[in-house]
Amino acid sequence: MSLFLLLAKRLAYALLLIAAVQAMNFTLIRAAPGDPAEVIAGEMGGADEAVMAQIRATYGLDQPVPLQYARYIVHSLTGDLGTSYLYSRPVVDLILERLGPTVLLVATALLLAMVIGTLLGVAASRRPDSAASGVITVLSLVGYAMPVFWTGILLVLLFGKVLPILPIAGMRDVRIYGDGWVVMLDVLHHLVLPALTLSLVYLAQYSRLARASMLEVLGTDYIRTARAKGLPESSVVYKHALRNALMPVVTVAGLQFGNLISGAVLVETVFSWPGLGTLALDAILGRDYPTVLGVLTCSAALVIVANLLTDLAYRWLDPRLRGRR
Amino acid sequence: MTSVSRRDVLRAAVATGAASLFGLPLSTLAAAARGGVVVIGSTNKPRHLNPAVQSGIATMFPGVQIFAPLLTVDGNWKAHPYLAERWSISDDARSVTLQLRKDARFHDGRPVTSADVQFSIETVRDNHPFKSMLAPVNAITTPDAHTAIVRLAEPHPALELVLTTSLLPIIPKHIYGDGQPVPTHPRNSTDVIGSGPFRVVEFKPGEHVILERFKDFFLPGKPQLERIIIREYKDTASLLLALERGEIDVHPGLTEPRDIERAKKIPGVNVVPNTGPAIGRLVWLAFNTANPKLADKRVRQAINYAIDKHFIINTLFGGVHLRSTGPIAAGSPFYSKEVEAYELDLDKARQLLDAAGLRPGANGVRLALTVDAIPGASDQRAIQEYLKPALAKIGIDVSVRQSPDFPIWSRRISNQDFELTLDSVWNWGDPVIGVHRTWLTANIRKGVIWSNTQSYSNPRVDELLAAAGQERDAARRKALYREFQEIVVDDVPVAFLHEVNLYLGYGKRIAEPVDNIWGLVGPLDEFGLKQG
């Protein structure tokens, strides 16, 4: 199948999926007890019926739910995801503001997990019975078994007071302003702990996966052939074996992208990282329907894009796929 | 001492680490970034920055720096000129004339005029949730560009205090008067233009508000600080950690005894009690008086006698909070302590229950009740748990009900779906603003939180509050409120437990802590750093 057809088919699926996500979430969030007008009134320190009625009217909450849904769908087709009740700003603006940090966090974590995980796995696979391999295996198991928020809290404890060399909250030191690169370095400084935390679980998984898959590949005939040709060991391992051994890692990484985003919600909350996750959490607690829906729609789109990238990565890794399917 | 020196060593390590990380000498960075910058931490997230249409600390706190009020108030409840340089009240107390400063400008350079004052007062009157504070305002006339006359339907002594707070910010008519409804106006959160000492540089909801000195502010030489940054934290634990790490200079409200102890141990940090006494954060146990189980005042009094307020304050809260004896906070000029204190008296409590016809059953239980609490408030949770053994002593079986989040609690309480609940209701300075709402029969409103959710009704209280709201003579007004306090305390629609004592934690390099009854909800234009 040509790349164009693949993309067109994926786009059609994507639109259907997003419509389904919206319909489901629209129903679900309204099933939660509590009224946005009450939350806003609570934040205001109390409000009378007139103010509450005005709030409901402004946000269209006095309309029948099916009509609200129809409106939402029509508006979202034009790229308008409504106005946040909590922040009284367009949801699209809020999401765009928070999308960058989340993508930065998730992409860094994924990159760390894949690169370090694979390298560790390869290292472990080359001498499967050595002590180093054992250590890597045990660490992987521990990393895999630790829930991400728990790792996060432990790191906050360590770097919060005992060893205060890394920031534990937020994305920027608000006192630092000025040149772009100073701010950039500041952001990187803040990124260390959240990205590390989020990557640990996956790092562990990928290293185990890479190890197993490398062991399998290293036993195959063409590796024996490569060695027989007298190729240097590093070339055999990294050029011939690794490329094939990477397939399962890429598959799992693609499949798990959704998990990675939910992990990001937890990590963002622990480290007050100003991404979509913290936005979603506040929005749910505040019954801020449009923001919750907007964030979920956006995460669905992110997962779809990630899956598409996975497919493209397959085609790059395995030339046989380029003409097939 | 070892821990301090270890921390210092680590700080030094941090400094070198950071310096090498940024690839430039830290000193230059510090000089550029820290000159007159104060970072204030907060756990309150503002929805937007316009306090004209949004109550609550979260918005008022940045709001009062951005939008100047007409007057300010010192620590002794005395009002002073601010945006208005003079004000006078007519003999019949039905009009208040305000003379504005002629040099005041909005952050976009436009002058502040009487038309803006008229627009602001009308906007607040028509949209602010605290209806009572401007309800008697009939009209505002503007004889010239710098004179505004507020015409009142009846005398309204609370008005002066209303003018001193961010409850009545002066907002620009040329921005908010464009016909869009102000409560949902887009300029409440983007490109906010005010008239106060600081202007908005950046507002990121859920992250921070960065404010910068407004160079054309009407008071010469003020404000002192170059920047005030309000940084949001997800909970009190991370806020305290930020103070320990030196990430923030000011912790606006320590309330937990252990947090206060920890903050006092931080080198370079002062901790002072009782900030913003006018706000009067009362915590009480509210009764649903419409519930047949609790309709008899003797039952409510019995429960009140069975609760040991000293245990709550001294044991549960390490002695940090203040005793609350009635609906008006102890810091208010209208506070009366001549009321029944309901000191612990189990015999009296049992007698009252006997008299109300509630005899112990076979298992010793006279009555079963459920108690709610605002979710997420750890202090209320502790009291909730305490009530179970405390009321068991007089034969009342208490079950604790939790609400998963605020909207669910709010819905239950405001729809009278409760028996007992812990609640926190704030005074907001004058009784007309924050006290009347809880006790007036006319304010029993289904679905409205912090109205008269107790369904309490006493015609004499209604009369007294109506009279006190209009009484110009301070002594007579005080007498009216004294009788009101006596009656409400005797009727026990709520059992008064304590007033939250807010401790301010601030870095010692800050020269001037706040001296006004509103605490940090007043303008911080005198806030400055020590020389050198």
Side-chain angles (χ1 to χ4, degrees), chain B residues 88-96 136 150-157 159 470-472:
Chain B
S88 58
I89 303 166
S90 70
D91 290 338
D92 64 355
R94 279 177 173 75
S95 70
V96 177
V150 184
R151 311 260 179 214
L152 300 164
E154 62 200 29
H156 188 44
L159 183 63
Q470 295 183 30
E471 180 55 62
R472 288 189 72 194

Side-chain angles (χ1 to χ4, degrees), chain A residues 196-281:
Chain A
L196 191 69
T197 308
L198 184 57
S199 69
L200 272 180
V201 174
Y202 301 95
L203 193 153
Q205 252 176 309
Y206 299 157
S207 83
R208 290 178 58 72
L209 211 61
R211 179 178 177 273
S213 148
M214 273 301 275
L215 281 176
E216 196 189 316
V217 172
L218 284 175
T220 53
D221 290 345
Y222 78 93
I223 295 295
R224 202 173 308 127
T225 313
R227 287 206 173 111
K229 281 198 299 189
L231 285 178
E233 184 65 11
S234 66
S235 174
V236 171
V237 171
Y238 291 104
K239 251 184 163 165
H240 288 71
L242 184 59
R243 189 154 178 163
N244 281 302
L246 267 183
M247 292 295 284
V249 176
V250 171
T251 310
V252 170
L255 283 176
Q256 280 185 334
F257 193 78
N259 296 359
L260 195 64
I261 292 204
S262 23
V265 174
L266 298 174
V267 170
E268 284 179 10
T269 308
V270 171
F271 291 101
S272 309
W273 187 260
L276 290 175
T278 39
L279 182 67
L281 186 70

Side-chain angles (χ1 to χ4, degrees), chain A residues 63-241:
Chain A
Q63 308 286 328
V65 175
L67 186 65
Q68 289 184 38
Y69 177 68
R71 270 195 190 165
Y72 184 78
I73 295 301
V74 171
H75 284 166
S76 64
L77 283 176
T78 64
D80 171 13
L81 294 176
T83 305
S84 158
Y85 307 155
L86 268 188
Y87 300 116
S88 55
R89 287 178 60 187
V91 171
V92 173
D93 289 4
L94 283 172
I95 288 180
L96 287 180
E97 215 167 74
R98 300 300 194 95
L99 185 63
T102 293
V103 169
L104 180 67
L105 173 63
V106 170
T108 314
L110 190 65
L111 203 71
L112 276 179
M114 285 189 72
V115 172
I116 301 179
T118 309
L119 288 179
L120 283 179
V122 171
S125 71
R126 293 182 65 183
R127 287 191 190 79
D129 301 319
S130 69
S133 171
V135 169
I136 291 173
T137 308
V138 169
L139 283 182
S140 303
L141 261 179
V142 171
Y144 186 47
M146 294 246 284
V148 66
F149 58 88
W150 177 244
T151 322
I153 291 170
L154 288 182
L155 287 175
V156 166
L157 281 178
L158 177 65
F159 289 101
K161 274 189 91 173
V162 185
L163 192 68
I165 52 168
L166 286 170
I168 52 166
M171 193 172 89
R172 273 174 54 192
D173 182 341
V174 280
R175 285 184 228 254
I176 292 177
Y177 53 101
D179 292 350
W181 65 275
V182 175
V183 171
M184 203 186 77
L185 283 172
D186 181 44
V187 169
L188 286 181
H189 195 199
H190 282 77
L191 180 63
V192 176
L193 285 182
L196 191 69
T197 308
L198 184 57
S199 69
L200 272 180
V201 174
Y202 301 95
L203 193 153
Q205 252 176 309
Y206 299 157
S207 83
R208 290 178 58 72
L209 211 61
R211 179 178 177 273
S213 148
M214 273 301 275
L215 281 176
E216 196 189 316
V217 172
L218 284 175
T220 53
D221 290 345
Y222 78 93
I223 295 295
R224 202 173 308 127
T225 313
R227 287 206 173 111
K229 281 198 299 189
L231 285 178
E233 184 65 11
S234 66
S235 174
V236 171
V237 171
Y238 291 104
K239 251 184 163 165
H240 288 71

